[in-house]
Amino acid sequence: MIIKSAELETVCGITSKLPENELPEFAFAGKSNVGKSSLINALMNRKSLARTSSQPGKTQTINFYLINKDMYYVDLPGYGYAKVSVEVKAKWGKMIERYLRNSKALKCVFLLIDIRHEPSANDRMMYDWIVDNGYHPIIIATKLDKIKRSQVAKQVKLIRTTLNMEKEGLIIPFSAETKQGREEIWEYLESYLKPEEPEMPAEAPETGENQK
Ligand SMILES: Nc1nc2c(ncn2[C@@H]2O[C@H](COP(=O)(O)OP(=O)(O)OP(=O)(O)O)[C@@H](O)[C@H]2O)c(=O)[nH]1
Ligand SMILES: [Mg+2]
């Protein structure tokens, strides 16, 4: 994908009204520090438009990035950040839920899981919750550069079984350091943006006379 433009268009806090976008949206969910903002930067071909940090909990708003005036990447706040109070966590849970449930433009939810670890109870909840809302989550297994190549298949399998994924469910290993996996994610996004194939001319309509 060629990135011609990328800009942060809307920032929503807990009490903000969510935008009603017409262009397709792609959301990135996952626990705090898993690499959502880093992935979004890589997919925007920018170093630091989406803010990242060694301090988890950096993204505390829902951020809508307009890409090529064609679609949005939606950076969601991470769940499971220990230093945030129970009330704040609950409020964020509600906000993410409100977004995922109500957006009419949301095409696909990417759920990020650290390739080094077994998915947590929160990850499993998030996965099930996305499925229950009618989406087929794409798993991005992040921080691929942090494990040996020989470990990749084993870790991918661990993610698949722990999340109890559908057989055809997609897991894309990705590294924000090496950008491995980026092309595949771009291809996937593009498949949503392509205009629909023109319909084949219909055959002459049946009159119904010969039908039972
Ligand atoms: N080695 C390596 N580090 C990564 C990768 N992706 C993210 N990181 C690092 O992990 C830390 C967290 O990354 P973020 O992109 O800020 O994570 P986030 O999911 O947006 O975190 P929150 O905003 O807190 O929810 C940063 O220090 C990143 O540099 C990766 O693929 N490889
Ligand atoms: Mg972030």
Side-chain angles (χ1 to χ4, degrees):
M1 185 185 290
I2 298 165
I3 303 296
K4 286 169 270 179
S5 64
E7 58 196 282
L8 175 57
E9 192 183 83
T10 312
V11 175
C12 293
I14 290 179
T15 55
S16 308
K17 188 177 175 298
L18 289 159
E20 290 176 21
N21 292 320
E22 299 275 332
L23 293 172
E25 294 171 356
F26 301 94
F28 298 86
K31 78 166 199 279
S32 199
N33 217 32
V34 71
K36 296 175 294 298
S37 299
S38 302
L39 168 65
I40 289 177
N41 279 327
L43 292 175
M44 294 193 293
N45 229 342
R46 296 289 190 274
K47 274 224 161 65
S48 57
L49 186 53
R51 282 203 282 157
T52 60
S53 163
S54 48
Q55 287 279 82
K58 187 79 190 171
T59 311
Q60 300 211 344
T61 46
I62 300 184
N63 297 343
F64 293 78
Y65 294 90
L66 177 61
I67 309 301
N68 292 347
K69 307 220 184 308
D70 229 13
M71 67 178 144
Y72 291 94
Y73 297 158
V74 183
D75 194 0
L76 296 171
Y79 47 80
Y81 178 38
K83 284 198 185 144
V84 168
S85 71
V86 176
E87 289 106 275
V88 171
K89 270 188 203 158
K91 275 189 188 155
W92 270 114
K94 284 256 159 13
M95 174 84 171
I96 294 171
E97 189 172 331
R98 188 152 64 87
Y99 167 67
L100 294 178
R101 194 162 277 166
N102 295 326
S103 169
K104 293 190 180 68
L106 180 60
K107 297 292 170 212
C108 180
V109 185
F110 292 87
L111 177 60
L112 280 67
I113 306 281
D114 190 321
I115 199 160
R116 294 170 296 175
H117 310 304
E118 183 176 354
S120 66
N122 276 336
D123 292 329
R124 289 205 302 273
M125 249 165 57
M126 192 68 196
Y127 180 84
D128 291 343
W129 199 83
I130 297 166
V131 171
D132 290 345
N133 276 277
Y135 294 98
H136 299 281
I138 307 295
I139 305 301
I140 310 288
T142 62
K143 310 198 181 183
L144 175 60
D145 56 284
K146 295 219 180 199
I147 62 170
K148 292 204 193 99
R149 213 179 276 186
S150 58
Q151 298 290 302
V152 175
K154 183 175 134 249
Q155 292 306 105
V156 165
K157 192 166 170 216
L158 177 66
I159 292 173
R160 186 178 293 282
T161 49
T162 312
L163 293 179
N164 203 6
M165 285 175 73
E166 314 155 305
K167 266 216 190 70
E168 56 284 4
L170 197 58
I171 302 179
I172 305 176
F174 171 78
S175 165
E177 292 282 313
T178 67
K179 310 295 185 289
Q180 201 180 329
R182 177 165 68 175
E183 287 295 332
E184 201 179 340
I185 303 169
W186 270 338
E187 269 169 34
Y188 196 82
L189 294 171
E190 269 170 337
S191 72
Y192 276 97
L193 300 176
K194 291 221 173 83
E196 294 199 357
E197 298 277 319
E199 277 188 32
M200 297 294 284
E203 287 185 20
E206 302 238 2
T207 58
E209 279 172 10
N210 298 328
Q211 289 176 346
K212 221 181 138 194

